[in-house]
Amino acid sequence: MSIQNTFIFFLLVLTSRFCQAQVLGFSLASDKTKVQFPIEVYNNLVVVPIILNNQLPLKFILDTGVRTTILTEKAYSDILNLAYSRKYSIAGPGGEKLVEAYVTNNVSLDMPGVQGRGHAMLVLDQDYLELRNYLGTDVHGILGYELFSRFIVQIDYERKQLTLMLPHRFKEKKKFQWLPISIEDTKPYITINLNMNDSTSVSAKLLVDSGASHGLFLETSSNPKIKIPEKHVASIIGRGIGGVITGVISKIKTLKIGQFEIPNVITNFPDPNSYMDTLKTSRSVFRNGSIGGEILSRFTVIYNFPDEKIYFKKNSNYKKGFYFNMSGLTIRAKGSRLKDFEITDIRENSPSQRAHIEVGDRILSVNGISVGELDLNTINGFLNSKPGRRITLMLIRKNEKIKREFRLEDPL
């Protein structure tokens, strides 16, 4: 399942009211002009280590689509006895759900070799997105523009390494291709060419969203040339602050980023009712959609916000095929160790549905490997490896152990 941070767009209007008043204080330690440190990558999302207020070690998603820092659970700020300057009630998509959020000021956010002082932070009352459950690892917050505005940021998805450099010491690298981006409302936008399935060419303005795991999101209402291909499947395509985001999944012919032409890109077409409100929150910024981690992770990417440039160098994943949820299962990791794997959704007419797997079943083993030896990332890897692969699941349903077998199928 693609974990999206679409709820963030709803928060940006609020965060703009207080982040401008704060003196942002990210700096490199001592006399350094560059630091490097390891990162984790889960479902195409970059996770970095953070020390909150010199005391609490946490993990944050690095997200180009976020204006200010967000802590996803109030329990962590309560542990540190942080003071809250105000409280908000935020309406989710469609205005159906209220989310409680708090503002705390003058917090410190440190990373290896990086100090951050005097930051404002938005604190959610609860982890409404259940990030840790759908990523299968502890994730506590989201870090965005405040870091990208201070440094040249290089993300090496293959080596799992983050490099931060002072802008005045950055030198362009010959092996990278650069393209212009525009920084609007603190977020980066790129214009690239899309070739739709009917061979229609579209010049699309897209948000570059490192905090979304999908490859490509397109909004059909933004351009009459953007049409849903005839072959598609209806599915849950993410999670928002109001719950699941529904839509259809298909593939477009090609996506061209500079000299890089990528064929058969899986494309998400969200239903307006589940995604429109969050997509249109920044009303002053027009866009046709976004590109996310499934595209970005095929490159080493350098973000240069000060000069409004982005750099790409392909890695070993560049030619990897695009497959969408070939089992039809959506799985959530539960429990203190995130080792209790529960099936939360089954796509209609998928191999898992035909194998009579049910929502609520819990996984005990995958192809003979006990879940005690697996994490959610690895399980999803099994279930999206290659068409035709046989999958054997041992499940528990109402205290009864059952065995189910099926073969993976590419629905697109």
Side-chain angles (χ1 to χ4, degrees):
M1 168 156 178
S2 295
I3 307 299
Q4 311 299 341
N5 67 313
T6 50
F7 78 107
I8 298 306
F9 298 104
F10 242 95
L11 304 179
L12 296 183
V13 173
L14 295 177
T15 58
S16 66
R17 297 178 185 175
F18 64 86
C19 70
Q20 294 174 356
Q22 288 293 313
V23 177
L24 304 182
F26 276 122
S27 61
L28 302 185
S30 63
D31 297 328
K32 293 182 178 180
T33 59
K34 180 176 75 171
V35 298
Q36 292 179 327
F37 56 86
I39 58 176
E40 300 172 56
V41 180
Y42 297 94
N43 201 20
N44 303 317
L45 301 179
V46 173
V47 178
V48 298
I50 293 284
I51 303 293
L52 179 60
N53 271 22
N54 302 311
Q55 299 178 64
L56 195 59
L58 301 174
K59 294 181 180 181
F60 279 34
I61 292 172
L62 193 60
D63 191 342
T64 51
V66 175
R67 182 192 299 271
T68 195
T69 304
I70 296 172
L71 186 67
T72 56
E73 290 186 74
K74 184 172 174 285
Y76 295 108
S77 52
D78 287 345
I79 289 173
L80 299 178
N81 293 316
L82 299 184
Y84 305 111
S85 60
R86 67 189 75 176
K87 178 181 178 180
Y88 291 109
S89 293
I90 308 169
E96 296 179 357
K97 182 175 181 178
L98 288 179
V99 172
E100 302 296 331
Y102 302 81
V103 178
T104 184
N105 297 297
N106 199 32
V107 300
S108 66
L109 303 163
D110 295 337
M111 289 174 285
V114 182
Q115 294 179 336
R117 298 291 182 267
H119 291 279
M121 185 168 66
L122 191 69
V123 181
L124 302 185
D125 189 52
Q126 302 175 39
D127 185 2
Y128 296 97
L129 278 182
E130 299 180 281
L131 291 174
R132 70 187 299 271
N133 302 107
Y134 285 99
L135 288 180
T137 188
D138 285 313
V139 177
H140 313 98
I142 301 164
L143 182 64
Y145 177 75
E146 296 167 351
L147 191 73
F148 288 93
S149 65
R150 280 297 176 100
F151 306 113
I152 306 299
V153 179
Q154 176 177 307
I155 301 174
D156 189 330
Y157 286 90
E158 186 173 23
R159 295 181 179 179
K160 296 183 179 179
Q161 186 177 69
L162 184 73
T163 303
L164 303 176
M165 184 183 298
L166 296 178
H168 71 276
R169 297 300 297 269
F170 173 69
K171 295 182 179 179
E172 293 188 355
K173 301 181 180 182
K174 294 181 180 179
K175 294 183 178 181
F176 285 73
Q177 182 185 7
W178 75 269
L179 294 170
I181 55 175
S182 60
I183 308 300
E184 302 176 51
D185 194 25
T186 73
K187 296 178 287 296
Y189 294 85
I190 189 171
T191 299
I192 62 177
N193 292 319
L194 308 176
N195 193 10
M196 307 301 288
N197 287 25
D198 60 359
S199 297
T200 300
S201 180
V202 179
S203 178
K205 180 182 178 181
L206 304 175
L207 170 68
V208 183
D209 191 355
S210 68
S213 60
H214 66 254
L216 179 64
F217 256 55
L218 290 180
E219 178 57 56
T220 54
S221 64
S222 69
N223 188 325
K225 293 183 179 180
I226 298 177
K227 299 177 181 179
I228 298 174
E230 183 176 346
K231 187 174 183 179
H232 61 265
V233 294
S235 181
I236 292 173
I237 59 177
R239 293 183 62 81
I241 204 166
V244 297
I245 300 169
T246 58
V248 301
I249 311 290
S250 188
K251 289 184 177 181
I252 66 166
K253 201 167 186 179
T254 57
L255 175 153
K256 191 171 184 181
I257 304 176
Q259 67 185 17
F260 304 108
E261 188 168 89
I262 306 174
N264 300 315
V265 176
I266 287 181
T267 305
N268 299 261
F269 297 89
D271 291 335
N273 290 338
S274 67
Y275 189 71
M276 178 70 77
D277 287 353
T278 51
L279 185 67
K280 301 298 183 181
T281 295
S282 297
R283 298 184 183 276
S284 61
V285 181
F286 170 82
R287 68 182 189 182
N288 300 110
S290 63
I291 58 171
E294 194 175 8
I295 297 294
L296 300 173
S297 62
R298 295 160 190 263
F299 300 89
T300 297
V301 184
I302 301 175
Y303 297 92
N304 184 346
F305 276 34
D307 289 337
E308 295 193 307
K309 292 182 178 180
I310 189 170
Y311 302 78
F312 295 96
K313 184 179 75 170
K314 63 184 179 181
N315 61 30
S316 62
N317 291 318
Y318 177 72
K319 293 185 177 181
K320 184 175 68 174
F322 288 87
Y323 298 111
F324 169 69
N325 195 351
M326 292 189 287
S327 69
L329 296 174
T330 299
I331 302 168
R332 177 174 62 178
K334 300 168 59 179
S336 59
R337 298 177 59 244
L338 295 171
K339 291 291 187 179
D340 184 3
F341 301 104
E342 179 187 33
I343 294 168
T344 61
D345 187 74
I346 301 173
R347 192 177 67 248
E348 195 76 23
N349 197 34
S350 64
S352 54
Q353 187 193 53
R354 296 195 299 271
H356 304 292
I357 296 172
E358 298 180 4
V359 170
D361 289 350
R362 288 165 39 225
I363 299 173
L364 298 178
S365 69
V366 181
N367 286 7
I369 304 174
S370 168
V371 293
E373 303 175 48
L374 301 172
D375 57 26
L376 185 58
N377 219 32
T378 307
I379 292 175
N380 284 332
F382 271 114
L383 298 178
N384 210 41
S385 50
K386 61 180 179 180
R389 182 174 187 175
R390 180 180 291 277
I391 299 295
T392 302
L393 296 181
M394 287 299 300
L395 306 167
I396 187 166
R397 179 188 300 165
K398 296 179 180 178
N399 298 320
E400 179 185 358
K401 291 184 180 180
I402 56 176
K403 180 180 179 180
R404 293 290 184 262
E405 293 184 340
F406 56 87
R407 289 189 182 274
L408 300 178
E409 296 177 2
D410 183 1
L412 301 175

